[in-house]
Amino acid sequence: MPPDPDSGEQDGLGLLCVNCGWGVARLFVQYSPGNIRLMKCDNCKAVADPYIECEFMIIFIDLILHKTRAYRHLLYNMLHAKTSDIKGILLKSSLMFLILDAFRVSLVMKGDNSWDLLTSNMAFTRTCIKVLLDVLFGNFIFISVLWLAVRLLLKLKYDESRYKEIMLAILVSSYFKIFLLAMMIWEFPSSVVFIVDIFVLSSNTVAFSVITQLRTSTCIALFFTAHAAKFLASRWLQTVL
């Protein structure tokens, strides 16, 4: 359902002006294939979403630079066209998130020389189980902290669509984990894993701020707490297993 252009900044996945966050009815008018006119925002009078005419690489660079405009384009205007398939997007994003997180845990364990102790199939199986439990338990703690904070800060009652939108924002803003795959090709110190974690935290913060309209300082504190809880939970699990 298209947003009300007079309703101001939206709470859900609706069309927005990437500059001021004001709701817009449409982003462009298409006269013929390849011939479009970008619409202007009624609030700030600027082009509502200039990213429509940009290559994906330009958008990706602006996401890396943590530009709020790029995150508004991604979370509202780009995903808006696929809201009917948000469950499919969530499923694929969650699967990729868990796979990359499992790879991250395996890199941390490699740095701790955990893989060097594998002398049998039994030991290999046990280590794989540890990685799986670490990923599942750590992310359970991470999501639990976020959900609790969302309910307290936004005073949300159970709203499945709203929670899906917030969850999608968290998953897609964790794209920095992809850079860990470079460690399969080139040799990097294990500290790179924690540098990537810092970028994931900052990206999560920007995306969460955009999707909830909370203050940046509040989002930083929230995600620092959630990531710290996940780290401590993972460390505790490693000592127990």
Side-chain angles (χ1 to χ4, degrees):
M1 182 177 66
D4 180 1
D6 298 323
S7 63
E9 192 160 329
Q10 303 296 306
D11 290 330
L13 290 179
L15 300 177
L16 288 187
C17 169
V18 300
N19 303 291
C20 65
W22 196 260
V24 295
R26 61 176 67 182
L27 300 173
F28 63 89
V29 175
Q30 183 171 358
Y31 297 106
S32 61
N35 182 19
I36 66 173
R37 178 170 69 88
L38 300 182
M39 304 300 292
K40 291 187 176 181
C41 173
D42 293 333
N43 183 51
C44 66
K45 309 304 179 184
V47 173
D49 191 352
Y51 285 111
I52 291 176
E53 294 185 322
C54 295
E55 297 289 337
F56 177 75
M57 187 54 66
I58 295 177
I59 300 172
F60 186 62
I61 291 173
D62 279 357
L63 288 173
I64 293 176
L65 295 175
H66 291 11
K67 291 188 177 181
T68 303
R69 298 171 62 204
Y71 279 92
R72 284 197 181 115
H73 169 78
L74 175 66
L75 298 175
Y76 287 91
N77 302 342
M78 186 174 176
L79 293 177
H80 174 74
K82 300 179 180 179
T83 49
S84 60
D85 191 34
I86 191 170
K87 289 184 178 179
I89 300 173
L90 266 176
L91 180 61
K92 294 175 183 177
S93 300
S94 300
L95 182 60
M96 181 61 68
F97 178 88
L98 292 175
I99 291 174
L100 291 174
D101 209 39
F103 182 64
R104 173 198 169 277
V105 172
S106 66
L107 288 175
V108 172
M109 294 181 66
K110 182 180 179 181
D112 294 337
N113 298 320
S114 297
W115 291 98
D116 296 339
L117 302 177
L118 303 183
T119 57
S120 66
N121 291 335
M122 183 67 71
F124 178 77
T125 302
R126 184 172 181 273
T127 302
C128 290
I129 292 175
K130 288 175 65 176
V131 171
L132 179 61
L133 291 176
D134 192 314
V135 170
L136 295 179
F137 183 66
N139 283 295
F140 172 76
I141 296 298
F142 177 70
I143 296 300
S144 297
V145 172
L146 289 180
W147 271 183
L148 178 61
V150 165
R151 290 184 65 89
L152 293 176
L153 294 175
L154 300 181
K155 297 180 174 62
L156 279 182
K157 296 181 180 179
Y158 181 73
D159 184 347
E160 183 180 357
S161 61
R162 185 61 172 146
Y163 279 112
K164 284 180 179 178
E165 293 164 7
I166 294 174
M167 187 65 190
L168 185 61
I170 295 169
L171 292 173
V172 299
S173 64
S174 299
Y175 59 86
F176 267 103
K177 292 178 183 287
I178 295 176
F179 292 104
L180 292 174
L181 297 179
M183 299 182 73
M184 297 177 63
I185 305 173
W186 296 287
E187 194 70 28
F188 290 98
S190 57
S191 59
V192 171
V193 175
F194 299 102
I195 294 175
V196 170
D197 285 345
I198 292 174
F199 278 107
V200 170
L201 187 154
S202 60
S203 181
N204 288 159
T205 297
V206 178
F208 195 76
S209 176
V210 166
I211 205 73
T212 62
Q213 288 92 53
L214 291 173
R215 291 185 302 176
T216 302
S217 57
T218 302
C219 295
I220 291 174
L222 168 59
F223 274 92
F224 180 82
T225 302
H227 279 280
K230 177 183 177 181
F231 174 79
L232 293 175
S234 297
R235 284 297 177 183
W236 174 81
L237 188 64
Q238 290 299 326
T239 58
V240 171
L241 297 178

